Structure formats: C-alpha cells, structure tokens
Amino acid sequence: MIDQRKKHNFKLYNIIIFIVFVAFITALDLKFLGDDYVRRVLSLAAIYTIVSVSMNLVNGFTGLFSLGQAGFMAVGAYTVAIFTVPLEKRAAIFYVVDQNPVLAQIHLPFVVALILGGLLSALIAILIGIPVLRLRSDYLAIATLGFSEIIRIILTNAKSITNGALGIKGIPEMPTMWVFFGVMILSVTLIVLLINSSYGRAFKAIREDEIAAEAMGINLFKHKVMSFAIGAFFAGIGGGLLASLLGTVDPKQFYFTMTYNFLLIIVLGGMGSISGTVIASFIVTIGLEVLRFFDEPLTLLGFNIPLFRAGFRMVIFSALLMILVLFFRNGLLGQKELSWDMITSWFNKKTLRRKEKGGAL
Amino acid sequence: MKRKLSLLLSLLMIFTMFTACSKQGAGTETSNSDVIKIGVFEPLTGENGGGGLQELDGIKYANKMYPEVLGKKIELVIVDNKSDKGEATTAVTRLIEKDKVVAIIGSYGSGVSIAAGDIIKNAKIPAMGASCTNPMVTQGNEYYFRACFLDPFQGRVMANYALQQGAKTAAVIMQNGDDYSVGLGNFFIDAFKELTNDPNCIVDVSEFQVNDTDFNAILTNIKAKNPDVIFAPSSATTAPLIIKQARALGIKSLIMGGDTWENPSVIEVAGADAEGIVLSTFFDENDPATEEAKKFVEGYKKELAGKEPIIPAVAALGYDAYLLVRDAIERAGSTNGEAIKDALKATKDFEGVTGIINFTEEGDADKNIAVIKTVKGGQFVYIDTVEVK
C-alpha cells in the first residue's frame, strides 16, 4: 500500500521536474532569463549529451571500445555544412578550389540535411563495422581511432566538396534553443527505449559475456553492427547540430582528441548509465566555464596571487578529474540509473548512519 | 567521502546556473564606471597555446605602455579558447555578455576566429584579429578587422621577389590540412603565374602530411624538374627538415618560406644549410619601419629580458591590434560598438609597429610593406623592405 503510494508520488515528481525543466529552457529561450552566454553553454551541453549518450550505447552498453566518435560527428557536421550554406555565399567560401558543380546547386533544409548526415554516418559505420567489429578490445579501439583519422584526412583532401583545410563558414544559425534540446530529449528517449528493448538486453548480454550471449542465441555480429550504426547515427546528428551552433566547420576540429572529450564524459558519468552520462555532460561543459574564475587574476588583501592566471583553469580541471577517478572508480553512477529510490536511499542511509553514530554515544 | 563529493559537485552545478543567470544585470554599470574593458581571446592551452601566449604578451605589453583611453583605465579581460571552436564561441559570448567588453582582440589561429565571427557580428562588438590570416575571418563581417597582412599579399611579395631574382620556374611544397600553408602556397602560385605570364611556370606542387619528417620523395621529384625556386610555406619545425634534405640531395634552387620561418630554431636545426634561404615577415627589429616600432623594439627587448632571442612577429601584431583598437576608441569618443567600428573603418595611415596601417573594405589591414630577410652567417639578415601597391 505504502509502496504504491510512494511510486505514485515519484511519478508525480518526475512530471513536475520535467515541467520545470521545460519551463526553464523555454524561459531561457524567450530571453526572460539568462543571457546568450548561458544559452550557448547549455546548447553546447545538450549537443555533448547527444554524442556522449550515443557513445555510451556502443562503449558502455555493448562493451565495444570504439573511439571513432569524432569521425562520425565530422560526417554529420560536414553534411549539414555542405547542404545548408546559402547558395549565394558559396562562391566566396570556395575561393581556392571551386565547389563541385553538382553540389553547388543543391540546398537542403536544415532538418533534411541533419537526418541525411546521421544516415550517412550510420551507413559508413555499417561499412566500416563489417570488417572492424571482428576485432575486440584494444584492437577495436585502434581500428576505430584510425578510421576517424581517415575521415578527417578525406575531408582535408576532398577540396571540391569540403573546401579542404580552409573549412566552411556561414552555416545558418538556429532560431531557438529547442532545436538542440528537442533533439537531445528525442535521442536520449530513443536510446533509452532501445536499451530497454530486447535488442538492448542483447547488447548488455554481449557486454557481459560474448560466449554466453552467443550460446543464448544472440547473433553477435548483427547486434554489434546494429549498436555501432545506431551510435554513429546519433553522433552524426550531434555533429550536425554542433556545426549549426558554431556556424563553421573545418577538419582540424575533428582531431581524434575530440573523441576524448566524450570518453571523459561517459567515464565520468558511468559506463552503462544514461542518466550518469547526461549529468556528466552538463557538469563537464558547465564546469569548464565555471572554472574560468581561476583564469582571472585574483587580488586578495592587496596581494596578487600569482597562481591565478590564464591556463590555471585546466590544471584545476585535471586535478578534479583525478579526484573523481580515484574516489569513483565506476564514474558517478556506475551502471545504475538515477532514480527516486536511489535519491531517497541516499538520504536515508545518511540519516541512518547519523542515528547509528548517535546511538553509539 | 563519496557522498560529500557528489553533493559538492551537484551544488557546484546548481550554483553555476544561478551565477550565470544573476549576473546579467550587473554588467550595464561598468560602461559608466572608470574602466573600459577590452576582451582578449587567445588559445593559451591546447594545440596553439605557444603562439597564443606570444601574442598575448604583445597585447599585455601594449596595455602597459598605453593603459588609458578617454581618461579611463583600460582593463584587459583575458579568456582562454583552448584552441577549440566550441570553447571559442562560449569564451567570446562570455566576454560580450558577462564582462560587457567594448571591443575584442584575437585570436591566434583562424578557425577559432571564424567560429567567433558570427557572434561578434550579431552582438555588434568590433573585433580585431592580430595574426589570423585566413580570408574567411573578415569576409562578410564588417565588425571583424585584422592587423596582419593577408596570405594573398605575402604570396604576391614572394612571387615578386622570386621574379626579381630571375626565377622562371618554381616548385611549391605545402602542408596538407594546414589553412595557412595551403592558402599561402596557392596565392603564390596565382601571383607567380600572373607575373611571369607563363601558365607552366609552376613545375611541381606537392603536399606533405602533418608530422612528416621525410621529404626525400617530394624533393627527389622536384630535383628532377629543376625549378629556379622552391616555395615551402610551413611551420618552423618542418622548415629546417625540408631545407636540410633538399641541400643533402644537391638541390641548388633558392628556397623560400613565409613569416613562420623567422624562428631561431630553423637556423639551429638546419645549421649551415639554412644559409641563403629567403623569407618574408611582418617587421624587422633591426630596421624599424616607424617611430612606434623603434620604441617597441627597444622596450620589448627589455621586457623579454632574453626570454626569447628575437621578438616574435605575433607579439608585434598583438601590440598593433591593441593600439588600433585604443586609437579607434579615442577617435570615436565613446565605447559604443557601432561608433568604434566606424572609427576603425576610418583608420587612416595609422603608424603601427608593423608598418602604416589602413583598412580595406573587408576590414583587412591594407599594409604596404613586407620585410624580406635571408640567413647569413647563422643570423637572420635584412635584405629589403618591399612595397607592393
């Protein structure tokens, strides 16, 4: 009886939180609240969430150690860049090598280009996945890392399509933050539904033990390719959104080091936890901005503290990461999901412990 | 411990939301107070950290020399863009929204400047790039200016010089994926073709990859075609390798490069092989082009105090960028973005360290001079100051 009422309450809480969240974003979006700075940081965090969750699907839930995320993002970002830049601006951008005459005539609406970018990335993932997914652990990591570099080098050299090293600018801006948050909510929901489906259970079985999974009748290869391609699809979508947020793309942006940002987020949030990844994406993106405080000169009691200067922020950031990794081996949430039970038990344990202490006295 | 930590982290996050939201009202007062804020966004960490710091030093020195404008103190607000585009856009938005800067200087590396361009344009805050040479930075953006000359100009200068030396054929080596190198190389090719009136004057165009150390394949190919000059715009780490390997193969052609070659490490690594190479640069500390330059060279040498053997050109450009912005605020007589932009546009014969500066329609520095240097006896030696109209 009590349990059921509790559950009912939690449902209500969830709805309230969701409404508050929607109201908060809408207020920001309509400029009742905050400024462009807050809007931009949150939009960036939303995009990072999409990519990180997609990476977690592959790395955390299917147990494939893939480092190709930057490559898939590049495909999505370039698709949006190539097809959405207004036709009249193109001649000025492609000033060294003319744009391919066929592509120069094609202009697509943003949504179409975004989905096309995602599909293209998924297609490439399938083609790459067929040979590469036969590898395991470190070998897979190296192969996918190499693949992401190959994509970057192709982008650098296909000058008539991508403008090579000079990059493309003038990608139209999005009128509202809801583009980023809407896609974020949609893609996280889709991935959660996928993980809770029979396919998701198969992914997790593969992660835990491949041989056992195969014995259970799971087609290893099919499921691996599927997870890899779906992950790539959402990474491509994330890349496309990033391109439209920044307004420009160039190949240097998609160095393999970019993948590490997302690896950091999923390790921090917990490999195999969607809610952990979402929280970590926001913590990392917002945290980096908060830490800017350390980059500014600080004068305390007339003393100018010499440590506080540009670049110090990254030192603090690294130190914080080290602390986190030392104390939270499995990330913030491990393989669990954030739930009301977790939160209440968290507080209960605390009060319980305090009571115990009190009792001892 | 775990609990406390995670509580701390979540509190930190909530705290951010509030500080980020609550500070918005505070900014408006600063424009009336006795401080004028100029934002500086440079890569201080990441891939371009080194160059960014050199440029920042020049800007800081300029601030030290000219700390005031309109009777108010100028405060530099420095933010790091981590050589990352996403970070660059948030850094610039921060400068505009939270710090309420009246103008922005930066950044080293064109990619981050292009990413920041649209934000700057929408906020109507004028920005001054110091050393970002990609034409797309200022293209179609009337709020973005820059203090350096452009790749087309530098390419033309070198093509001109090659022609003066009696060169009829040239080979070009570029770094694949580097917008500076590819841009400069292509503009050299265009200029050289136009000047010689010979479409076949470029006998070879090769590209190498980042971190390549072996150029024998490219150079052997070039040797067979025997060009009069080899133009190889590249970074200071690659340049000496190309020079050394070319000479080792017995290539006697004149080897030329861009401003990045003016770096002591080129001579150090290439040794005797560096003798006779030619490069173009923004300014020459031994032959200051203007009064301002004389003052700068003297003062900055003291400031560096042997930290670096020669004054980096980007520091000089950073210095100029600051002076240009300060001068524009002075002439505008206000801190209104629109007024500063118009004043910058109206800049006429501004005497900077790197030459007399005017702005073109696009907002690029229309400089008339480039300095050509060579290496002689293990030193960079001034050959000529070229004026191109």
Side-chain angles (χ1 to χ4, degrees):
Chain A
M1 232 343 230
I2 294 167
D3 261 348
Q4 234 164 21
R5 201 192 299 156
K6 233 183 188 176
K7 254 182 200 153
H8 194 73
N9 271 346
F10 290 156
K11 213 172 213 175
L12 194 72
Y13 291 161
N14 282 340
I15 293 170
I16 290 173
I17 287 205
F18 187 72
I19 290 172
V20 168
F21 171 76
V22 169
F24 179 65
I25 300 297
T26 313
L28 271 171
D29 197 40
L30 297 175
K31 314 205 169 167
F32 285 138
L33 205 66
D35 49 29
D36 277 350
Y37 176 55
V38 180
R39 276 189 279 280
R40 187 163 277 278
V41 173
L42 289 179
S43 304
L44 200 63
I47 295 170
Y48 279 13
T49 306
I50 299 169
V51 181
S52 307
V53 169
S54 80
M55 192 173 178
N56 210 345
L57 173 71
V58 181
N59 291 33
F61 287 97
T62 323
L64 303 167
F65 192 33
S66 149
L67 294 176
Q69 231 60 13
F72 295 127
M73 282 180 79
V75 173
Y78 264 94
T79 312
V80 167
I82 291 165
F83 292 115
T84 62
V85 172
L87 292 173
E88 65 274 10
K89 278 192 186 169
R90 297 200 185 168
I93 293 166
F94 287 80
Y95 64 90
V96 174
V97 179
D98 287 336
Q99 193 179 16
N100 182 309
V102 179
L103 288 179
Q105 301 303 319
I106 305 175
H107 180 272
L108 296 178
F110 175 73
V111 180
V112 179
L114 189 68
I115 293 171
L116 186 69
L119 290 176
L120 208 59
S121 222
L123 182 72
I124 293 173
I126 293 170
L127 293 179
I128 283 293
I130 289 170
V132 159
L133 287 174
R134 291 172 199 281
L135 302 168
R136 280 185 197 179
S137 66
D138 305 355
Y139 302 102
L140 177 66
I142 294 165
T144 46
L145 194 67
F147 152 74
S148 121
E149 280 294 277
I150 290 171
I151 294 266
R152 192 177 63 78
I153 286 168
I154 291 176
L155 291 174
T156 312
N157 286 291
K159 287 177 193 148
S160 65
I161 302 172
T162 63
N163 206 21
L166 296 162
I168 296 175
K169 80 160 193 170
I171 303 163
E173 265 179 86
M174 286 301 111
T176 146
M177 273 173 86
W178 272 113
V179 174
F180 306 113
F181 277 90
V183 177
M184 180 190 98
I185 293 171
L186 194 68
S187 52
V188 171
T189 314
L190 285 177
I191 290 179
V192 168
L193 287 177
L194 177 75
I195 284 166
N196 292 332
S197 72
S198 67
Y199 292 110
R201 286 192 289 277
F203 292 163
K204 284 186 221 166
I206 294 173
R207 172 186 71 192
E208 298 305 335
D209 191 329
E210 287 195 7
I211 296 166
E214 206 166 15
M216 298 283 292
I218 292 170
N219 184 340
L220 280 189
F221 192 64
K222 184 185 131 195
H223 282 92
K224 279 186 182 176
V225 171
M226 186 193 251
S227 159
F228 196 58
I230 293 171
F233 175 80
F234 286 109
I237 297 276
L241 291 174
L242 187 67
S244 80
L245 179 69
L246 301 181
T248 158
V249 287
D250 74 75
K252 267 193 186 168
Q253 200 181 339
F254 299 102
Y255 259 134
F256 61 89
T257 46
M258 187 179 205
T259 307
Y260 297 152
N261 288 341
F262 304 113
L263 192 64
L264 177 111
I265 289 172
I266 62 172
V267 170
L268 193 65
M271 295 273 252
S273 167
I274 297 288
S275 44
T277 309
V278 176
I279 294 169
S281 304
F282 280 85
I283 288 185
V284 167
T285 323
I286 296 173
L288 267 175
E289 290 301 318
V290 180
L291 292 177
R292 274 192 194 283
F293 161 73
F294 291 104
D295 270 4
E296 287 161 16
L298 180 75
T299 318
L300 213 64
L301 303 169
F303 274 112
N304 205 345
I305 297 170
L307 262 180
F308 281 74
R309 60 164 147 205
F312 187 50
R313 169 175 73 121
M314 296 314 290
V315 179
I316 299 280
F317 185 65
S318 325
L320 281 179
L321 282 181
M322 259 188 262
I323 292 172
L324 268 166
V325 171
L326 282 176
F327 288 98
F328 298 82
R329 282 286 153 77
N330 296 319
L332 291 175
L333 292 178
Q335 287 189 359
K336 290 185 247 85
E337 295 295 343
L338 188 68
S339 64
W340 287 108
D341 283 336
M342 193 189 229
I343 295 170
T344 44
S345 72
W346 196 80
F347 279 107
N348 282 343
K349 257 188 214 165
K350 212 170 182 185
T351 45
L352 218 79
R353 205 191 287 161
R354 213 172 278 156
K355 269 181 201 158
E356 273 169 17
K357 267 187 195 167
L361 276 169
Chain B
M1 190 68 195
K2 256 188 186 181
R3 273 154 221 288
K4 275 183 193 157
L5 263 176
S6 48
L7 191 69
L8 194 79
L9 268 174
S10 30
L11 279 178
L12 198 77
M13 201 178 126
I14 296 164
F15 172 71
T16 342
M17 295 274 199
F18 282 111
T19 46
C21 302
S22 62
K23 266 198 181 164
Q24 54 163 347
T28 39
E29 308 155 16
T30 46
S31 55
N32 300 323
S33 73
D34 51 351
V35 178
I36 290 181
K37 286 184 175 174
I38 295 182
V40 179
F41 87 113
E42 291 286 351
L44 303 172
T45 50
E47 187 197 345
N48 288 329
L53 277 172
Q54 286 182 336
E55 197 166 299
L56 180 64
D57 282 343
I59 298 168
K60 275 186 181 162
Y61 179 68
N63 182 238
K64 199 170 142 192
M65 300 307 288
Y66 298 92
E68 284 185 359
V69 67
L70 303 175
K72 291 176 186 174
K73 212 171 161 309
I74 298 179
E75 187 191 326
L76 293 180
V77 184
I78 302 158
V79 289
D80 173 21
N81 62 33
K82 240 175 94 193
S83 323
D84 175 276
K85 276 189 179 179
E87 194 96 350
T89 54
T90 53
V92 165
T93 331
R94 184 190 166 91
L95 284 176
I96 294 169
E97 294 284 344
K98 293 192 76 182
D99 298 313
K100 305 278 173 196
V101 297
V102 301
I104 292 169
I105 300 174
S107 161
Y108 187 93
S110 299
V112 284
S113 307
I114 296 172
D118 281 342
I119 298 166
I120 282 163
K121 192 166 140 188
N122 292 341
K124 301 196 190 313
I125 298 286
M128 173 71 65
S131 65
C132 36
T133 46
N134 189 326
M136 273 197 255
V137 174
T138 55
Q139 192 186 72
N141 188 345
E142 52 173 354
Y143 288 89
Y144 223 124
F145 297 82
R146 74 178 124 203
C148 55
F149 51 54
L150 281 186
D151 298 339
F153 175 74
Q154 208 177 350
R156 182 161 275 276
V157 166
M158 292 318 278
N160 238 326
Y161 181 79
L163 204 69
Q164 277 171 23
Q165 299 303 307
K168 290 196 175 57
T169 52
V172 179
I173 305 175
M174 299 182 274
Q175 179 180 329
N176 187 317
D178 183 71
D179 54 351
Y180 165 80
S181 180
V182 173
L184 189 48
N186 278 309
F187 287 117
F188 174 85
I189 294 172
D190 290 348
F192 199 66
K193 275 184 185 163
E194 192 192 316
L195 290 168
T196 52
N197 260 331
D198 174 10
N200 302 321
C201 61
I202 305 293
V203 292
D204 189 61
V205 179
S206 325
E207 293 192 4
F208 61 90
Q209 299 293 333
V210 197
N211 297 335
D212 269 4
T213 49
D214 181 6
F215 303 95
N216 278 310
I218 294 174
L219 290 168
T220 315
N221 207 356
I222 289 177
K223 195 189 173 191
K225 291 176 179 156
N226 194 23
D228 296 326
V229 295
I230 298 173
F231 184 58
S234 50
S235 71
T237 39
T238 320
L241 300 175
I242 297 179
I243 297 164
K244 258 187 118 110
Q245 289 172 20
R247 295 295 183 233
L249 278 172
I251 296 175
K252 300 263 181 328
S253 319
L254 177 65
I255 302 179
M256 308 194 301
D259 54 286
T260 44
W261 282 25
E262 195 192 10
N263 187 316
S265 73
V266 172
I267 299 178
E268 247 165 62
V269 180
D273 290 333
E275 297 289 305
I277 60 165
V278 174
L279 54 101
S280 70
T281 183
F282 302 103
F283 93 119
D284 177 45
E285 54 181 69
N286 298 318
D287 179 38
T290 57
E291 276 304 307
E292 191 61 51
K294 256 181 224 156
K295 248 171 57 192
F296 171 74
V297 169
E298 231 167 77
Y300 200 61
K301 277 257 167 192
K302 260 185 223 142
E303 183 84 8
L304 280 175
K307 212 166 70 184
E308 292 190 52
I310 57 166
I311 296 178
V314 288
L317 287 168
Y319 185 88
D320 270 0
Y322 175 87
L323 290 196
L324 280 163
V325 170
R326 184 185 161 272
D327 175 67
I329 297 174
E330 185 94 62
R331 277 185 293 113
S334 88
T335 53
N336 178 279
E338 198 75 25
I340 299 173
K341 180 206 85 185
D342 290 335
L344 271 173
K345 263 201 157 154
T347 301
K348 186 139 186 11
D349 295 334
F350 179 81
E351 213 177 275
V353 172
T354 57
I356 308 286
I357 300 169
N358 293 298
F359 286 110
T360 62
E361 271 301 299
E362 281 284 11
D364 298 326
D366 187 10
K367 278 190 207 163
N368 52 352
I369 61 157
V371 175
I372 296 201
K373 289 186 182 179
T374 185
V375 174
K376 210 175 185 179
Q379 297 268 308
F380 285 108
V381 184
Y382 166 84
I383 305 183
D384 201 6
T385 304
V386 192
E387 241 179 278
V388 179
K389 262 288 134 197

